[in-house]
Amino acid sequence: MATSDGRWLKLFDQFIDNLTVDSKETGVGKLELYQSQRMFLKELAAGLEEDVRSFTVLKARQLGISTIMLAIDLFWLMVFPGTQGALVTDDEGNRENFRNTLERYLKGLPKTFRVSITKHNREMLVLSNGSVMYYIVAGTKKKGAMGVGRGLNFVHATEVSRYGDAEAWASFVAAFAEQNPNRLYVYESTARGYNQWKDMWDDACADTAHCEALFLGWWSREDQRIEQA
């Protein structure tokens, strides 16, 4: 069984060893990590060792952060039975793209980690160990409540800067578990000016005891920079 401190990273490396992904550069192939993804994993592991459970990740485009987080989504559901999770996207198109990525991951899982699937549709992924991942579309316009009545202890929210209803998002976050020993909340997004994402970033920078603010610039991916001679 994995633990939610630094020891999980070694187990996670074994977990992703057989995962495949669709890459625009190389096509379908093994999930090979960029340096930006390794940097993210290192910071995540370090934060968990300090019992930080909330991570706000400001990122450049094309760093693979959403891709590696999808692997963590699946990993967390499988090694921590009974996880009540949510994958939150800005629109339905990204929800379907991410769901397809998870489908490909599921097909390549090593037998040592495989947990049978009870249900998988556009609304949720349900595993036989009691873990559930809800697919929630926040939307880019004001839409009212989201995820009402769901007590969540794991959330991966992507492109938060595009969410259109700040009040609905605040209500959604307010219901998260605060004591579950395996809780994890990761918010990752590119910047889009002064909005709720900017407020979340400022809050994470101020509350270092409970949150970690992580910035990953374009330079963190090794093939997007020119090394000094």
Side-chain angles (χ1 to χ4, degrees):
M1 178 60 62
T3 58
S4 55
D5 58 25
R7 289 173 288 175
W8 72 267
L9 191 52
K10 183 176 181 180
L11 188 61
F12 181 70
D13 281 336
Q14 298 172 12
F15 178 80
I16 65 174
D17 191 51
N18 293 315
L19 298 187
T20 58
V21 66
D22 294 327
S23 168
K24 70 176 185 178
E25 302 292 348
T26 60
V28 177
K30 182 179 177 180
L31 179 59
E32 300 285 355
L33 300 188
Y34 298 124
Q35 183 179 11
S36 53
Q37 294 168 311
R38 287 290 182 190
M39 290 174 64
F40 167 70
L41 289 173
K42 181 179 179 180
E43 292 296 329
L44 183 65
L48 287 170
E49 287 182 352
E50 298 298 323
D51 202 31
V52 173
R53 301 292 168 164
S54 178
F55 297 82
T56 301
V57 185
L58 177 59
K59 63 179 187 177
R61 293 174 55 84
Q62 306 299 321
L63 299 184
I65 304 305
S66 295
T67 299
I68 195 61
M69 260 310 302
L70 289 172
I72 293 174
D73 295 347
L74 198 55
F75 177 82
W76 222 259
L77 293 181
M78 291 188 167
V79 299
F80 296 118
T83 294
Q84 300 297 297
L87 172 58
V88 187
T89 62
D90 54 329
D91 58 32
E92 293 184 358
N94 276 331
R95 177 194 62 192
E96 291 305 297
N97 286 338
F98 289 172
R99 193 163 71 90
N100 289 338
T101 297
L102 287 173
E103 286 276 9
R104 183 170 293 285
Y105 284 171
L106 286 164
K107 292 178 181 178
L109 278 175
K111 293 181 180 179
T112 51
F113 287 97
R114 191 168 297 162
V115 177
S116 60
I117 301 169
T118 301
K119 180 190 297 185
H120 194 197
N121 54 36
R122 63 188 297 173
E123 295 182 353
M124 66 183 72
L125 168 63
V126 183
L127 302 181
S128 61
N129 67 357
S131 292
V132 179
M133 176 74 80
Y134 296 101
Y135 297 121
I136 298 176
V137 176
T140 57
K141 298 180 180 180
K142 195 172 183 63
K143 58 177 289 188
M146 52 182 283
V148 174
R150 294 171 179 157
L152 302 174
N153 50 51
F154 178 93
V155 174
H156 168 200
T158 182
E159 290 305 331
V160 181
S161 66
R162 291 179 53 84
Y163 296 177
D165 195 328
E167 291 182 5
W169 172 249
S171 178
F172 177 69
V173 171
F176 292 175
E178 297 181 359
Q179 300 299 325
N180 188 296
N182 299 318
R183 68 193 183 281
L184 177 61
Y185 310 111
V186 179
Y187 319 108
E188 42 102 349
S189 184
T190 52
R192 293 175 64 86
Y194 291 90
N195 50 30
Q196 66 178 2
W197 175 242
K198 172 63 163 58
D199 294 338
M200 289 175 64
W201 173 258
D202 289 343
D203 289 345
C205 289
D207 186 11
T208 56
H210 302 95
C211 310
E212 179 167 335
L214 174 60
F215 173 67
L216 292 168
W218 58 268
W219 43 263
S220 61
R221 178 170 156 176
E222 61 271 33
D223 59 352
Q224 295 186 163
R225 66 181 184 231
I226 300 174
E227 300 291 351
Q228 184 174 1

